Structures are given as structure tokens and as C-alpha cells.
Amino acid sequence: VILAIGGKAALYPYPAGSLLVYCLAPGTKITTEEHQGGLLKIHTNPSVYLTISKFKELQPALKRLAVIWAGDSIQDYIDQKKDIAAHLGIEIVSDRVLNPNNLPNHLRALKGKVDAIWLPPDAAMVTPKNFTTIKEFSLANSIPFYVPSDGLVDQGATASVYCSFGEIGALAAKMVHQALNGPLNTDRVFPEKIHLAVNLTSAKICNLKLSSDILKQAEKVIP
């Protein structure tokens, strides 16, 4: 069993037949052709269902959520949109941006059609320029902007549902321990312990009234 931490470590040519457990590698998706052995991905963020459930708590009126993405690794998130609609009553508006220069046009096309924007943990999309473009659009049009990390909430996004590095490391250790004691029945796992960060200034501009219960849950509240 090999535990790889980070994208570069995950892509290293390990011996065939080994079980590769990899974590803290957002945007990295390894195939059985690339590694001749077992694969288990520890996702950096909570499951899409758990994440959007928390968005619904933050924004009870949320009905249509735009997901801005680019890389193939995020396709698994998009494929769950039917389950999200059926169980949470939220329509996922999938907007794939293959050319970052066209991002402003994509955003303008969403105006008046969605209740919030989510930038998922997509390494191909989460860049300083793209973040700034979406944030400025969000604030100018009073549309809540959800992001994959608390650091981006510090920079002006509305809120984030995220996991700590400690939680991800503990989950990776747990899965390695299980693998050493028997076969695993999955090729990916998500952290279940989540954290919440909110930016009060952004929320106010976006007309998002956060309940006292939500504020009590938040590990980080930015004035």
C-alpha cells in the first residue's frame, strides 16, 4: 500500500500491483492505465451532496445553483445533478468554461437565471484571475458566491464548505489501515467532517441573511 500526498506524488510511477491511496491532489484523476494496481482517491472536499446541503441551509431559497468548472476531474460532481434535484430540490446549472477568456460572457449569460454561483474544487478553474472575475460579478449582481476553501472567503467570496487538512490526513490513514487488513470496496472516499466559513460583508451585499444558527456553526466569520 502506497500513500501519496499531493498531485506530483500521486502521479509518480509506482510498482504495478500496489494499492495507491492518494490525497490532497485536487484536479488529479489517475486511471488504471496510468497505475497498474488498486486506486483509492481521498477527496479534498466534502461530497457534492453534503456541500450543497449546507448551501441550502445558508440560503433556504436556493433553487438554481450555477457550477462553474473546466477540468475533467470535476465531472463526477456534475454527474450527481439529478440526485441533487431529486433530494434537495436544487437544479444544478452546469457551466463548463473551456477558455478562461470567455468567463465574463458565461457569467453574463447566467445573470437573472441562477440564485447562487459555486466554484468547486477544480484546479483548472480556481485561479486568481478567475476568482476575481467571478467575485466582482457576484458582488455587482448580488448573487452569493460559494468557494472550495476558507482562504477564498477571506478574499471576498460569500461562503465555503470545506475540510481541514488534518481531517483529510486522518481519513487517509484510516483507509490505509483498512487496506492493510482487508480489501476495500470503493475507489474514492470523501471527508465527512465539514467546516464552514462565511463573509458577512459579501453576504450583506448579496442580500443573504445568515441565521444565528448558521453563524454559530461557522468556524470562521469574516466581518
Side-chain angles (χ1 to χ4, degrees):
V1 178
I2 297 164
L3 173 60
I5 301 174
K8 186 175 181 180
L11 294 171
Y12 192 83
Y14 295 106
S18 59
L19 170 63
L20 173 60
V21 179
Y22 62 104
C23 66
L24 294 177
T28 301
K29 188 174 183 180
I30 302 172
T31 66
T32 52
E33 288 75 23
E34 294 169 308
H35 175 70
Q36 301 296 319
L39 289 166
L40 175 64
K41 180 173 183 176
I42 310 292
H43 283 264
T44 304
N45 288 75
S47 70
V48 63
Y49 186 87
L50 188 58
T51 300
I52 296 180
S53 295
K54 185 58 68 174
F55 293 164
K56 184 72 171 180
E57 288 184 44
L58 288 165
Q59 189 178 352
L62 178 60
K63 295 293 183 183
R64 303 190 82 223
L65 175 66
V67 182
I68 309 293
W69 63 292
D72 291 334
S73 64
I74 213 69
Q75 185 66 53
D76 290 342
Y77 278 54
I78 306 305
D79 289 343
Q80 298 179 50
K81 61 184 181 181
K82 289 184 178 179
D83 289 337
I84 298 299
H87 294 95
L88 296 177
I90 297 174
E91 179 186 352
I92 298 295
V93 179
S94 172
D95 195 342
R96 189 174 193 182
V97 181
L98 295 176
N99 183 346
N101 292 328
N102 292 333
L103 178 57
N105 293 332
H106 283 256
L107 293 171
R108 281 192 288 269
L110 293 172
K111 186 176 179 180
K113 299 178 181 178
V114 297
D115 303 312
I117 296 172
W118 179 32
L119 182 62
D122 179 1
M125 196 67 212
V126 183
T127 67
K129 181 179 179 181
N130 289 343
F131 169 77
T132 299
T133 299
I134 300 173
K135 182 188 74 173
E136 291 178 352
F137 175 84
S138 160
L139 296 175
N141 293 280
S142 299
I143 302 173
F145 176 30
Y146 302 124
V147 290
S149 74
D150 59 321
L152 296 178
V153 177
D154 287 333
Q155 297 177 43
T158 308
S160 175
V161 177
Y162 63 100
C163 297
S164 70
F165 288 166
E167 171 67 14
I168 296 165
L171 181 57
K174 176 183 176 181
M175 299 312 297
V176 167
H177 179 75
Q178 289 185 16
L180 291 171
N181 288 278
L184 299 175
N185 298 317
T186 183
D187 61 355
R188 60 177 181 165
V189 293
F190 293 90
E192 295 183 355
K193 184 177 180 181
I194 65 172
H195 299 278
L196 174 65
V198 296
N199 186 305
L200 297 182
T201 298
S202 175
K204 183 177 181 180
I205 294 172
C206 295
N207 299 317
L208 181 62
K209 297 180 180 179
L210 300 173
S211 69
S212 58
D213 287 341
I214 284 292
L215 295 177
K216 289 177 183 177
Q217 293 177 35
E219 277 76 19
K220 181 182 284 189
V221 178
I222 310 301

